[in-house]
């Protein structure tokens, strides 16, 4: 009887979450709704990412997250995303993956083990990642994570899967309505090109050689964009450009 009451309470929470998602009028609203729900349902962090190819002019990128900013900056600075073990393991499963099962899905390299260790250092100790696949589009991934380093229960896995599915469906509806994720800072095509190369670890001189520009010109393009966003570090600039849809993760590889 107690378990039945508990299950009904969790179902009510998920039903309320679905209703709240439908009430969200922008991706900013949806971000807050997901954040509140993952906390209420036993998680701490979330990420909803869709690697849309921005060269296709009919779509927008999707990047909503509450991950610690220090971790996001490290991911960009150290280029962890290239060998991200969670995403690599998700590519091998049709239905999602609890993080403690990553080693069952692929043979981890020393670098991948190091990435998982560094994530734990930032309080991302355990979680569940759900790949969301739509024919003709890049894969989306929803992740709910927490600081407790212990396996997720079957109930928590199901909860994360339902959260991700509902959140992604509403996000796609909002994208169809052309709602921006947050206030978008306009950038010129040249600025976007320069920032993409910054994300790949290129220096101003190297970017100039690639684009046929002087080092000073590249520096001004990048610094002007940084000032527009009001950030101090170039890694923060890259993160904001991804968030606003100027870059996708594919552009960073």
């Amino acid at each position: 009887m107690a378990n039945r009451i508990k299950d009904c309470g969790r179902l009510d929470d998920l039903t309320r979450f679905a209703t709240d998602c439908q009430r969200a009028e922008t991706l900013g609203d949806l971000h807050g709704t997901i954040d509140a729900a993952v906390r209420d349902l036993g998680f701490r962090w979330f990420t909803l990412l869709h690697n849309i190819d921005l060269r296709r002019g009919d779509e927008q990128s999707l990047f909503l997250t509450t991950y610690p900013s220090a971790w996001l900056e490290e991911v960009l600075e150290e280029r962890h995303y290239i060998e991200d073990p969670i995403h690599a393991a998700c590519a091998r499963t049709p239905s999602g993956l609890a993080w403690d099962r990553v080693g069952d899905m692929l043979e981890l390299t020393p670098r991948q083990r190091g990435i998982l260790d560094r994530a734990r250092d930032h309080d991302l100790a355990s979680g569940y990642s759900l790949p969301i696949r739509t024919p003709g589009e890049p894969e989306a991934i929803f992740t709910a994570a927490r600081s407790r380093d212990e396996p997720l229960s079957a109930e928590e896995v199901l909860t994360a899967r339902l959260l991700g599915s509902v959140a992604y469906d509403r996000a796609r509806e909002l994208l169809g309505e052309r709602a921006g994720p947050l206030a978008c800072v306009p950038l010129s095509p040249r600025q976007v090109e320069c920032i993409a190369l910054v994300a790949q670890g290129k220096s101003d001189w190297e970017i100039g050689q690639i684009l046929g520009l002087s080092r000073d010109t590249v520096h001004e393009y990048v610094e002007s964009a940084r000032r527009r966003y009001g950030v101090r570090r170039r890694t923060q600039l890259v993160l904001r450009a991804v968030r606003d849809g100027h870059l996708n993760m594919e552009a960073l590889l």
Side-chain angles (χ1 to χ4, degrees):
M1 182 66 176
N3 285 338
R4 185 177 303 170
I5 293 173
K6 180 180 178 182
D7 290 344
C8 289
R10 181 58 56 94
L11 180 60
D12 287 344
D13 289 339
L14 291 168
T15 301
R16 190 178 307 111
F17 172 67
T19 300
D20 290 343
C21 284
Q22 286 302 313
R23 290 174 177 165
E25 297 182 355
T26 68
L27 288 175
D29 293 340
L30 184 62
H31 181 282
T33 298
I34 301 170
D35 183 26
V38 297
R39 291 171 182 267
D40 287 344
L41 293 169
F43 297 95
R44 174 62 182 86
W45 318 100
F46 86 89
T47 287
L48 178 57
L49 172 68
H50 191 186
N51 293 332
I52 294 174
D53 185 350
L54 298 180
R55 290 168 295 186
R56 297 169 58 185
D58 59 339
E59 294 179 319
Q60 298 179 27
S61 66
L62 176 61
F63 182 32
L64 304 178
T65 186
T66 57
Y67 274 12
S69 58
W71 172 239
L72 293 173
E73 288 184 25
E74 179 176 326
V75 168
L76 290 172
E77 286 182 341
E78 303 298 329
R79 305 185 75 189
H80 291 332
Y81 48 83
I82 295 177
E83 297 183 61
D84 186 322
I86 302 299
H87 287 200
C90 277
R92 302 189 180 191
T93 175
S95 58
L97 178 82
W99 290 2
D100 61 313
R101 292 190 55 239
V102 170
D104 298 336
M105 304 302 297
L106 71 162
E107 186 174 346
L108 294 169
T109 67
R111 176 164 167 74
Q112 287 174 323
R113 293 185 185 279
I115 291 171
L116 293 176
D117 288 341
R118 289 299 298 147
R120 291 188 188 95
D121 290 340
H122 288 272
D123 277 345
L124 295 159
S126 63
Y128 186 86
S129 293
L130 173 71
I132 306 171
R133 301 179 176 101
T134 302
E137 296 184 8
E139 182 176 280
I141 292 182
F142 173 82
T143 293
R146 66 188 184 194
S147 57
R148 300 198 313 275
D149 191 2
E150 60 187 47
L152 272 64
S153 67
E155 179 186 9
E156 288 170 327
V157 166
L158 179 58
T159 296
R161 293 186 64 185
L162 292 174
L163 284 174
S165 297
V166 171
Y168 180 71
D169 286 347
R170 182 53 183 155
R172 288 311 305 270
E173 290 174 356
L174 290 172
L175 285 172
E177 296 164 12
R178 298 195 178 278
L182 292 170
C184 182
V185 172
L187 297 175
S188 71
R190 269 302 192 205
Q191 285 177 313
V192 172
E193 289 178 330
C194 290
I195 296 169
L197 291 169
V198 167
Q200 295 175 22
K202 306 296 185 184
S203 68
D204 288 351
W205 182 86
E206 290 171 322
I207 295 171
Q209 293 297 302
I210 293 169
L211 298 180
L213 302 171
S214 72
R215 181 172 180 257
D216 289 344
T217 299
V218 169
H219 183 79
E220 182 52 34
Y221 275 133
V222 175
E223 290 304 300
S224 175
R226 186 185 60 76
R227 290 192 296 270
R228 285 187 183 185
Y229 274 110
V231 296
R232 294 184 178 182
R233 304 177 62 179
R234 290 189 170 195
T235 51
Q236 294 173 313
L237 171 60
V238 171
L239 183 60
R240 300 301 193 277
V242 171
R243 184 202 70 185
D244 279 358
H246 295 298
L247 300 173
N248 60 4
M249 294 306 287
E250 179 181 291
L252 307 185
L253 299 179

